[in-house]
């Protein structure tokens, strides 16, 4: 059993030591001399142990400390105990680290742990494959020296990692990687790279499929529509049936047109920020079309800042505004009010359509811009709605660094709006003819 540290025991030993010397000193009548001799012996004893400790710390190759006696025993034993504790903690840490590494190796993504400037601290096998890193030879190398894409260097040093970037894999140009960096801890960064080749191929296939099908459906529908028009003029026909067929054909044509618009907007990635859109004219036309659909059932007022124009893709913005205004007409009962406005507000261009219509329950709001999502399918079918309108609005606004904002109170009405950022609006120069 180890002797543990005890302050009382130490003090007791010291008192006993000097008492013995004092008694002998009194007996021989040399108290001070013997106390002095006792102190010298004690000093020698401590000095010897100090020197054994220093020798072990600096010179000795043995891992365990030397044995101590008396008051030095708990000190050497304490060091021995501390060593054992550290050894156990180190092996626990090593086990934990290897478990983490095994976990990171099992990830379906390439993972690289980096320092502040991108110095590689560790990477898994997939990182070697996808990013061309050689482990452990590249340990400490800056990752932007190994991945030589300007887009990647910019992303790494920008220190803004909200959105991932995409780039070709080092293994093959045909493979596409989605790179995401996360900053954590004390200036550490974690890079995750995921192979998104298949995902992007599927997305492209879906887009092509929708665009092709809509395109192929357009021609037979136009032919059908033409024949139906001719049939409706013939006296012998059953008017009701022809009308029903015409209505359904028109509905299908509307759906195909919407699908085509959506796929066109979806594929156009960049809009030209130098193209000026005369918003006054555009919104007057949109309002005029809405008045024609409303046929006097609603009061439609338009409030436009005539000097405020924006830049971007006119077809997309027209589509977005027209969909929002048409929806207000479709979902507002007869006698309702619809207010369209386009104004300068706090440095941005603000577009709003406010209606006094049926409103939308809050649980539907987050899903409204999904394709084919409709609050009330039967009601939407009556209005000729396809459920694609707000999806078109969302994509068109995304391309102009904006997004749709919806406020609605069931039974009272809704406000659909968006803000165009200051770099895409102009309030000074008049629009080119
Ligand atoms: P739809 O072609 O069916 O109108 P949208 O994508 O334009 O499709 O709109 C999706 C759904 O959002 C609609 O079916 C409707 O239920 C709801 N909605 C859109 N605008 C309004 C509005 N102004 N008032 C009430 N509901 C609306």
């Amino acid at each position: 059993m180890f002797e543990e540290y005890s302050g009382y025991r130490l003090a007791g030993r010291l008192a006993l030591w000097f008492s013995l010397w004092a008694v002998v000193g009194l007996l021989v009548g040399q108290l001070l001399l013997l106390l002095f001799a006792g102190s010298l012996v004690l000093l020698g004893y401590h000095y010897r142990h100090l020197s054994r400790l220093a020798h072990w710390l600096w010179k000795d190759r043995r891992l365990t400390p030397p044995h101590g006696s008396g008051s030095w025993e708990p000190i050497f034993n304490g060091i021995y105990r501390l060593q054992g504790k550290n050894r156990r903690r180190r092996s626990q840490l090593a086990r934990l680290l290897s478990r983490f590494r095994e976990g990171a190796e099992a990830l379906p993504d390439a993972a690289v742990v980096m320092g502040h400037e991108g110095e590689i601290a560790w990477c898994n096998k997939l990182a070697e494959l996808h990013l061309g890193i050689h482990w452990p030879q590249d340990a400490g190398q800056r990752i932007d020296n190994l991945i030589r894409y300007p887009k990647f260097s910019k992303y790494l040093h920008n220190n803004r990692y909200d959105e991932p970037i995409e780039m070709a894999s080092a293994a093959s140009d045909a493979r596409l990687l989605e790179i995401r960096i996360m900053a954590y801890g004390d200036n550490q960064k974690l890079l995750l790279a995921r192979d998104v080749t298949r995902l992007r191929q599927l997305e492209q296939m879906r887009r092509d499929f929708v665009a092709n099908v809509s395109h192929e459906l357009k021609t037979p529908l136009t032919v059908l529509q033409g024949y139906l028009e001719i049939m409706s003029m013939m006296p012998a026909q059953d008017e009701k049936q022809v009308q029903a067929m015409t209505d359904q054909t028109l509905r299908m044509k509307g759906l195909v047109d919407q699908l085509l618009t959506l796929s066109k907007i979806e594929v156009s990635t960049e809009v030209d920020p130098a193209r000026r859109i005369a918003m006054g004219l555009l919104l007057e036309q949109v309002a005029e079309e809405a008045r024609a659909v409303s046929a006097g059932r609603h009061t439609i007022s338009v409030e436009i800042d005539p000097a405020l124009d924006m830049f971007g893709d006119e077809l997309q913005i027209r589509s977005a505004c027209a969909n929002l205004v048409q929806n207000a007409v479709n979902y507002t009962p007869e006698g309702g009010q619809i207010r369209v406005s386009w104004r300068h507000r706090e440095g941005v261009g603000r577009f709003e359509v406010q209606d006094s219509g049926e409103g939308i329950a809050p649980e539907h709001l987050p899903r409204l811009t999904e394709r084919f999502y409709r609050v009330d399918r039967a009601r939407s079918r009556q209005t000729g709605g396809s459920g694609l309108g707000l999806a078109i609005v969302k994509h068109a606004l995304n391309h102009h660094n904006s997004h749709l904002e919806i406020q609605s109170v069931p039974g009272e009405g809704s406000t659909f709006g968006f803000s165009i950022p200051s770099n895409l609006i102009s309030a000074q120069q008049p629009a080119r003819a």
Side-chain angles (χ1 to χ4, degrees), residues 43 50 341 430:
L43 201 65
L50 259 182
S341 65

Side-chain angles (χ1 to χ4, degrees), residues 126-132 147 149 166-179 193-197:
L126 276 178
E128 295 186 54
L129 177 74
H130 286 319
L131 304 171
I147 303 175
Y149 283 103
E166 284 184 6
M167 63 176 212
S169 158
S172 149
D173 276 352
R175 304 208 77 76
L176 196 65
L177 297 179
E178 185 187 81
I179 309 267
R194 174 167 295 183
D195 187 344
V196 288
T197 320

Side-chain angles (χ1 to χ4, degrees), residues 258 323-324 327-328 330-331 355 358-360 368 370 373-376 380 383-391 414 416:
Q258 292 268 60
N323 268 304
L324 294 179
N327 275 351
N330 287 338
Y331 300 102
D355 65 50
E358 57 198 52
I360 307 158
L368 283 189
E370 284 173 22
Y373 189 84
R374 281 162 287 182
V375 174
D376 177 351
S380 172
T383 63
S386 60
L388 291 172
L390 294 183
S414 320
F416 285 72

Side-chain angles (χ1 to χ4, degrees), residues 19 28 37 51 53 64 66-67 72 132-133 174 186 200 216 219 256 294 356 360 405 419 431:
S19 316
V28 293
S51 117
L53 180 62
T64 46
H67 283 290
W72 279 87
I133 298 173
D186 190 14
R200 295 293 171 266
E216 294 303 322
T219 321
V256 168
S294 159
S356 59
I360 307 158
E405 292 157 40
S419 299

